[in-house]
Amino acid sequence: MDGKQIITVGRQIGSGGSWIGEETARRLGVRCYDRQLIEMACAYGQVDLERMRAAEEKRPNPFLYQVPREIQNDKTGRGIAIQDMVFNLQSDVIRMLAREESCVIIGRSADYVLREDPDAFSVFICADMDQRIETVMTEYRLTRDQAVSLIKKTDKARRNYYECYTGKRWGARESYDLTLNSSKLGRAGCVELICDLYRKRVAAREEQ
């Protein structure tokens, strides 16, 4: 497909990254893939959704290393932890989506999975801590202390997962094609910039 482009979106909790990804997809008229990826991955691998969902976006625990032989197959991989199986399945689905259509993919280390795809470009959305705290307090109806705790826990989990599977630093500017601070630019401003970049890349590809 000429002009096809895939946007991958990494994000800090409380940065509005998921909303930015979804709104970008809506404005561009393409699909956004986020939470449904685990369902698609399990359907593709013919494995139990609920069992795999609990392992999504988590790195293997060396002290609780589960190798469920009953769900091993050529698609999930063999002799590996259930977290690795989830990563393998989601990676296969992400690559299939990238071959078939323009889209926005949120999380799941999609930037790394598609690192050799010339049609993909990666974005990381961050925000100032004070704004992140306020956003998490509002969205999750938490106290300030609870919000801070959730942010720290989520950041740690995402960092561990990303760095385990990619060998890159989560959130570091050098790990992505574009890093945007939604506190400085506003969520709508981030969407505008990403859409503009998307259209320029499409135009450049069509001219080749």
Side-chain angles (χ1 to χ4, degrees):
M1 176 181 173
D2 291 339
K4 175 170 62 65
Q5 291 292 314
I6 300 93
I7 305 167
T8 68
V9 180
R11 74 286 185 220
Q12 293 178 328
I13 184 174
S15 68
S18 294
W19 182 91
I20 290 168
E22 292 168 1
E23 180 64 12
T24 297
R26 188 189 69 79
R27 292 197 190 184
L28 293 173
V30 301
R31 293 182 180 179
C32 179
Y33 294 96
D34 187 358
R35 296 179 181 87
Q36 67 270 53
L37 281 169
I38 185 62
E39 299 175 5
M40 297 170 69
C42 289
Y44 166 74
Q46 299 180 322
V47 292
D48 179 68
L49 172 61
E50 294 309 313
R51 185 168 188 181
M52 303 298 270
R53 193 193 298 275
E56 185 186 20
E57 289 198 282
K58 294 182 176 65
R59 71 173 181 177
N61 186 332
F63 301 105
L64 296 171
Y65 199 84
Q66 298 180 344
V67 183
R69 299 185 183 281
E70 69 277 10
I71 58 175
Q72 295 182 42
N73 58 52
D74 291 339
K75 293 177 180 177
T76 61
R78 300 181 185 280
I80 60 176
I82 190 169
Q83 292 86 355
D84 294 337
M85 293 181 180
V86 174
F87 180 80
N88 288 344
L89 292 175
Q90 286 193 330
S91 296
D92 283 346
V93 169
I94 288 169
R95 282 188 284 264
M96 287 188 289
L97 291 172
R99 287 195 296 267
E100 295 170 358
E101 62 181 290
S102 293
C103 58
V104 175
I105 302 174
I106 297 175
R108 282 77 185 174
S109 299
D111 61 292
Y112 176 78
V113 174
L114 300 178
R115 63 193 180 281
E116 297 180 357
D117 189 330
D119 295 330
F121 70 95
S122 58
V123 180
F124 187 82
I125 307 296
C126 61
D128 297 345
M129 181 57 78
D130 286 344
Q131 182 170 325
R132 295 176 66 195
I133 292 171
E134 292 298 325
T135 298
V136 170
M137 287 175 63
T138 301
E139 291 185 356
Y140 294 87
R141 298 182 180 180
L142 300 176
T143 65
R144 183 178 181 83
D145 287 346
Q146 289 172 330
V148 170
S149 178
L150 179 60
I151 288 171
K152 290 181 178 179
K153 179 180 178 181
T154 305
D155 281 356
K156 181 179 180 180
R158 289 180 179 174
R159 180 180 300 108
N160 288 342
Y161 173 82
Y162 184 84
E163 296 181 359
C164 171
Y165 287 105
T166 71
K168 300 194 297 180
R169 289 176 57 208
W170 179 76
R173 291 187 178 184
E174 61 269 21
S175 296
Y176 309 89
D177 297 320
L178 179 67
T179 300
L180 300 175
N181 186 326
S182 60
S183 298
K184 303 295 191 294
L185 300 168
R187 294 187 182 188
C190 291
V191 172
E192 291 293 340
L193 284 171
I194 298 170
C195 287
D196 184 54
L197 177 59
Y198 176 97
R199 295 186 182 105
K200 288 179 178 178
R201 286 175 59 92
V202 169
R205 180 55 60 88
E206 290 177 341
E207 290 174 359
Q208 293 178 357

